[in-house]
Amino acid sequence: MMDDVLVMQGVTRDYPVGGAFAKKRTLRALRGIDLTVSRGRTLGLVGESGCGKSTLAKVLLGVEEATSGTVLVDGHPIESYGRIERAKLIQPVFQDPYSSLNPRMTVASIIGAPLQVRGEGTGDSRRKRVEEVAGEVGLPRHLIGAYPSQLSGGQRQRVAIARALIGEPKILICDEPTSALDVSVQSQILNLLHRLKQELNLTMILISHNLAVVHHLADEVAVMYLGRIVEHGPSQAIFDRAHHPYSSALLKAVLPPRPGSRLPELGLEAEFPSPLNPPSGCPFHPRCSNDDGTTCHEIDPEPSGTSHTYRCHHPDNFTQTAAQDQAPAD
Amino acid sequence: MTNIEQTTAPSVALSPGRMTLHRALRHVSFWVGGTIVLAIILAAILAPAITSHDPAIQDLAQRYIPPVWTEKGSWDHVLGTDNLGRDYFARLLYGARISLLIGFMTVLISGAIGTALGVCAGYFGGWADMIINFVITIRLTLPVVLVALVVVALVGSSLTLLVMVIGLLLWDRFAIVVRSATQQLAHREYITSAAAIGSSTWRILFKEILPNITGPLIVVASIELAHAVLLEASLSFLGLGVQPPQVSWGLMVAEAKSQLLFRPWMIAVPGAALVLLIFAINLVGDAIRDVTTPEGKA
């Protein structure tokens, strides 16, 4: 049996919307997430803006609490860990390195903060460890005493990664780690993450809307749509043959690196629906090219498949080999 | 892999606070205002060294001596004497002590109250925010001078009471500004990061939020300092502030009000001192606002 570090079962997260006078409504940011991540694996989480990716990250970090469902970290519910124990297990790397570092702290105190918070080590031993980690993430030594405003975007992101790694966490949650960076720096940060992942046997959740990034780093991919996982499977399987029409559309949405070529045809019809008022039946049906007009409007598809699961009545690319997985539920 | 990022970095890192100070030192109004405020503070502290006169000693033979620039003036009493023959220059210097003391003490008290309330409202949001907003609204409905009048009239006046009353009344602007500044910061990723590395709420409030709102805080403090000095002057003018034999600038104006038409300099002198102090404080506040706002950053 594989060693499951992170298990999510039916995780939902609701936000109340509306003030004292407006009608109270509930925004369901996460609607029953089931996911399991094994030790040392990297899960890529993709989806449009507003689909709940970042909410999921916050729930996993323990910054937000799940409304229902359980998150098991290393076999225990996430709420059972204290503030510091949780921080030892899970660490984040955020999207915007310009807002993820306190402008009033030096690089050394930012990287060393996790140790200071835990009261680990003396000033001297902490400083040594900070230099060690800064070296590991490729941060030039002379920048240790600098302030974030004196650093480039890539250097800032290295600081953020160093801060996340100094306490040797088991799980690293990267929320769009490269989307705020220049293209040239993006690959440096990705290579760094790739190397660290192997050296430290990190389990990683990689949240991104950039499929190339996910392809580069992830062992498996989960596609999110409107607060739920619509397709989940090994990275290669999904990139080769996505079953859910939404995943296919996302894959098609990648711009070809060729000037003058036409914009890709997505087959996504309507706008992204409001999570305040999700569509009936399969939540994807208003935008789906495979919409049959009856079943899709009435029945919410359950996940089908075993290693490569998807929630769709009429999956794409459904060949004989995939059918052996399990018959689609339609 | 890393050599691309070997950009030039300053050999000595300046903290953002130090850089703000450097910018402030290049700001003209910071210099002008700062010099005046500093001069007034020094004059207040060094009062006994500057004048040999005692501000409380009366000399009825020497009443109403006009200041030195008039025909009957003398260098013995540079700014003349008042209705009881007390040296006006000495009273001005010693009066500055009370005015400044009340100003700074009040700002300390009101700043502490307002900052605590504002940070809590901005960071915790929800119920805490609602309750604190309610308290701020209640405070804003109270007319400051009227409340101060009632308290002083009921309890009697003393310097401590005056500081407490003004301090407990002037925290509203601190609370409002700090609340909105905190709200802007509360959703920054470095606050989330601080929570994710296991920081306690105290640590987040004191190490992550407070250092990042010092800019607006200092600006409000300068405004409220001027406000408190003026309020003390008003209360003293109404006879509810500082009580003789203590001196304050407001009290000097009050005592001279019967001479408004006959010896206008008696009101003009402390009045001008007040104007100068308030003007200088506001110059400093303006300069600080200029150098701490992003648009002011060169």
Side-chain angles (χ1 to χ4, degrees):
Chain A
M1 189 190 130
M2 281 190 111
D3 190 2
D4 295 334
V5 190
L6 198 56
V7 179
M8 287 162 258
Q9 288 163 345
V11 173
T12 64
R13 169 73 210 188
D14 297 343
Y15 292 101
V17 181
F21 300 105
K23 203 180 126 201
K24 284 237 178 6
R25 293 197 292 179
T26 309
L27 189 153
R28 315 209 80 181
L30 298 178
R31 311 195 300 150
I33 302 279
D34 297 303
L35 269 179
T36 300
V37 190
S38 310
R39 193 180 303 281
R41 304 270 286 173
T42 298
L43 172 76
L45 207 55
V46 294
E48 276 166 289
S49 318
C51 72
K53 292 172 299 187
S54 295
T55 307
L56 186 59
K58 284 186 185 148
V59 169
L60 292 179
L61 283 172
V63 177
E64 303 249 356
E65 236 171 89
T67 310
S68 66
T70 47
V71 179
L72 300 176
V73 181
D74 233 9
H76 303 281
I78 191 164
E79 310 83 39
S80 69
Y81 293 103
R83 206 174 66 217
I84 297 205
E85 283 83 59
R86 195 180 62 223
K88 282 181 182 170
L89 284 172
I90 309 182
Q91 278 299 303
V93 174
F94 287 114
Q95 171 175 14
D96 182 5
Y98 290 87
S99 99
S100 68
L101 307 178
N102 186 339
R104 302 265 164 173
M105 284 164 76
T106 61
V107 167
S109 49
I110 291 172
I111 298 179
L115 299 182
Q116 207 194 353
V117 164
R118 294 176 205 172
E120 265 174 29
T122 59
D124 266 349
S125 73
R126 280 204 291 260
R127 203 166 313 127
K128 255 183 88 182
R129 178 84 182 112
V130 166
E131 283 175 13
E132 207 177 290
V133 178
E136 259 175 63
V137 299
L139 195 70
R141 202 190 177 86
H142 65 275
L143 289 179
I144 289 255
Y147 285 85
S149 58
Q150 294 155 332
L151 268 54
S152 71
Q155 289 166 342
R156 286 169 183 235
Q157 200 59 303
R158 285 175 200 267
V159 173
I161 293 171
R163 167 177 58 190
L165 292 180
I166 195 166
E168 296 170 341
K170 291 183 174 163
I171 304 168
L172 195 63
I173 294 178
C174 303
D175 190 352
E176 309 256 13
T178 59
S179 62
L181 304 174
D182 286 348
V183 179
S184 58
V185 183
Q186 282 189 7
S187 62
Q188 294 175 19
I189 296 295
L190 289 178
N191 288 335
L192 171 66
L193 286 174
H194 190 68
R195 197 190 77 210
L196 292 171
K197 175 184 111 177
Q198 286 172 334
E199 281 175 7
L200 308 172
N201 194 27
L202 283 172
T203 307
M204 245 167 67
I205 306 271
L206 179 71
I207 297 173
S208 183
H209 58 249
N210 185 340
L211 291 171
V213 168
V214 173
H215 199 179
H216 185 75
L217 277 181
D219 303 308
E220 46 193 293
V221 174
V223 180
M224 272 186 89
Y225 186 78
L226 216 61
R228 53 166 35 169
I229 308 285
V230 293
E231 185 159 8
H232 176 208
S235 176
Q236 208 49 50
I238 288 186
F239 279 97
D240 285 349
R241 207 173 46 235
H243 289 339
H244 198 284
Y246 180 63
S247 317
S248 329
L250 280 184
L251 289 171
K252 277 189 229 157
V254 177
L255 289 177
R258 207 169 50 240
S261 59
R262 288 193 304 145
L263 290 175
E265 195 64 47
L266 301 187
L268 284 183
E269 288 168 20
E271 286 278 301
F272 187 69
S274 162
L276 276 171
N277 186 19
S280 64
C282 170
F284 187 57
H285 82 251
R287 309 173 74 187
C288 185
S289 49
N290 298 358
D291 180 14
D292 64 5
T294 52
T295 328
C296 293
H297 288 230
E298 286 152 18
I299 301 167
D300 195 5
E302 286 301 311
S304 341
T306 45
S307 66
H308 179 174
T309 60
Y310 50 93
R311 282 170 177 254
C312 184
H313 296 297
H314 307 289
D316 282 346
N317 300 317
F318 204 78
T319 59
Q320 210 49 45
T321 42
Q324 285 162 3
D325 228 14
Q326 194 189 316
D330 63 351
Chain B
M1 186 165 108
T2 59
N3 45 12
I4 294 174
E5 291 184 31
Q6 295 277 5
T7 46
T8 51
S11 48
V12 181
L14 283 177
S15 77
R18 296 278 298 281
M19 292 200 306
T20 306
L21 189 66
H22 277 257
R23 275 198 303 274
L25 291 179
R26 291 200 303 266
H27 203 287
V28 178
S29 23
F30 187 81
W31 273 110
V32 176
T35 311
I36 298 174
V37 173
L38 205 65
I40 295 177
I41 293 175
L42 281 178
I45 295 173
L46 302 175
I50 296 173
T51 176
S52 53
H53 290 287
D54 187 306
I57 286 187
Q58 308 175 0
D59 184 353
L60 291 179
Q62 306 248 338
R63 301 169 68 211
Y64 295 129
I65 292 178
V68 71
W69 57 83
T70 55
E71 277 173 38
K72 290 177 197 158
S74 84
W75 281 102
D76 191 31
H77 296 288
V78 181
L79 292 177
T81 56
D82 68 1
N83 58 336
L84 296 171
R86 296 173 295 197
D87 183 69
Y88 226 48
F89 184 56
R91 290 180 70 73
L92 197 68
L93 290 181
Y94 285 91
R97 287 183 165 184
I98 301 284
S99 292
L100 288 172
L101 184 75
I102 289 183
F104 281 105
M105 290 305 290
T106 310
V107 165
L108 276 185
I109 296 175
S110 57
I113 298 173
T115 307
L117 287 176
V119 165
C120 287
Y123 181 72
F124 296 109
W127 278 103
D129 192 26
M130 269 173 70
I131 292 169
I132 291 170
N133 255 329
F134 185 66
V135 175
I136 292 175
T137 315
I138 290 180
R139 158 56 204 93
L140 287 173
T141 58
L142 297 175
V144 173
V145 175
L146 201 64
V147 173
L149 277 178
V150 170
V151 175
V152 172
L154 286 178
V155 188
S157 183
S158 74
L159 196 58
T160 327
L161 184 82
L162 208 57
V163 166
M164 293 302 290
V165 168
I166 302 179
L168 288 173
L169 282 171
L170 292 190
W171 51 263
D172 50 304
R173 213 171 296 179
F174 281 103
I176 293 168
V177 171
V178 168
R179 173 177 169 268
S180 63
T182 307
Q183 277 177 334
Q184 284 175 20
L185 292 184
H187 296 288
R188 292 283 173 92
E189 281 171 348
Y190 63 83
I191 306 292
T192 318
S193 301
I197 63 169
S199 309
S200 62
T201 307
W202 280 113
R203 193 188 149 93
I204 293 177
L205 294 182
F206 280 99
K207 291 209 73 171
E208 311 283 340
I209 290 180
L210 261 189
N212 284 296
I213 56 171
T214 45
L217 206 52
I218 292 174
V219 174
V220 177
S222 74
I223 296 171
E224 290 301 310
L225 179 60
H227 193 174
V229 171
L230 270 184
L231 194 59
E232 180 275 325
S234 319
L235 289 173
S236 296
F237 180 80
L238 294 171
L240 294 158
V242 174
Q243 301 297 320
Q246 284 176 324
V247 211
S248 86
W249 293 350
L251 189 63
M252 288 171 76
V253 175
E255 286 176 348
K257 65 177 181 284
S258 61
Q259 300 297 322
L260 176 63
L261 296 176
F262 313 107
R263 297 179 180 87
W265 57 268
M266 291 190 70
I267 285 180
V269 166
L274 261 179
V275 169
L276 190 68
L277 177 62
I278 306 295
F279 173 69
I281 293 172
N282 279 322
L283 274 185
V284 175
D286 262 7
I288 294 170
R289 194 205 53 216
D290 279 354
V291 296
T292 51
T293 47
E295 309 91 75
K297 281 180 184 158

